[in-house]
Amino acid sequence: MIEGFHVVERIPVLWGDMDAFGHVNNARFIRWFETARIAHFQQVGIKTAEAVGVAPILAHVSCDFIAPVDFPNDVLVGARASKIGTTSFHQEYVVALADAPEQPVARGVGVIVMYDYNSGNKVPIPDDLRARISQLDSLP
């Protein structure tokens, strides 16, 4: 798998992921990050079925492209928390070809805010969730 990432999803590159330049379109990488983000949420016990009460909301996402990806291929996409604040945490993402997991083709960052969908305000990360994230991703 990908070293240092406990949550890794294997995703096939689809023919429709390609753009006119013969490689995977840049927007697809953000979708792959989303797949890994939701898998990470599930691992730490964040419910992902509906946005009610206190739940996460994505505040920021960015991607650094390192090398092009083409069809046919499978990619491995990892997600892990890299920093936990009071109301938000950062996720780090990595994408690598399945047959070369030690060579990333993209890296990214997401900022996840705990949000009260009833009041429309950010709220502190619950202590039990903070503990589960810290344990999974070996954070202090």
Side-chain angles (χ1 to χ4, degrees):
M1 294 314 256
I2 299 174
E3 187 175 342
F5 286 80
H6 300 290
V7 176
V8 177
E9 295 291 300
R10 185 182 188 109
I11 302 171
V13 174
L14 305 175
W15 175 254
D17 294 341
M18 307 283 284
D19 63 19
F21 297 108
H23 55 74
V24 172
N25 184 275
N26 59 331
R28 182 57 58 193
F29 287 78
I30 303 301
R31 184 60 65 94
W32 291 340
F33 292 171
E34 177 186 59
T35 297
R37 178 172 52 255
I38 298 304
H40 185 269
F41 285 177
Q42 291 172 334
Q43 283 288 317
V44 296
I46 296 175
K47 295 184 187 334
T48 57
E50 53 186 320
V52 295
V54 174
I57 192 167
L58 182 66
H60 169 84
V61 66
S62 64
C63 183
D64 293 320
F65 303 98
I66 299 167
V69 176
D70 57 9
F71 175 89
N73 254 312
D74 281 0
V75 292
L76 300 175
V77 185
R80 66 181 173 198
S82 58
K83 175 183 171 185
I84 301 178
T86 303
T87 60
S88 66
F89 62 96
H90 292 205
Q91 278 186 331
E92 178 183 352
Y93 309 112
V94 65
V95 179
L97 298 178
D99 60 358
E102 70 287 346
Q103 297 176 329
V105 296
R107 293 187 178 277
V109 174
V111 177
I112 312 332
V113 174
M114 292 310 292
Y115 187 76
D116 185 332
Y117 283 85
N118 297 326
S119 70
N121 296 305
K122 63 183 180 178
V123 297
I125 298 169
D127 290 339
D128 61 327
L129 176 58
R130 177 184 304 279
R132 290 192 305 271
I133 292 170
S134 295
Q135 182 178 10
L136 176 66
D137 295 317
S138 304
L139 295 175

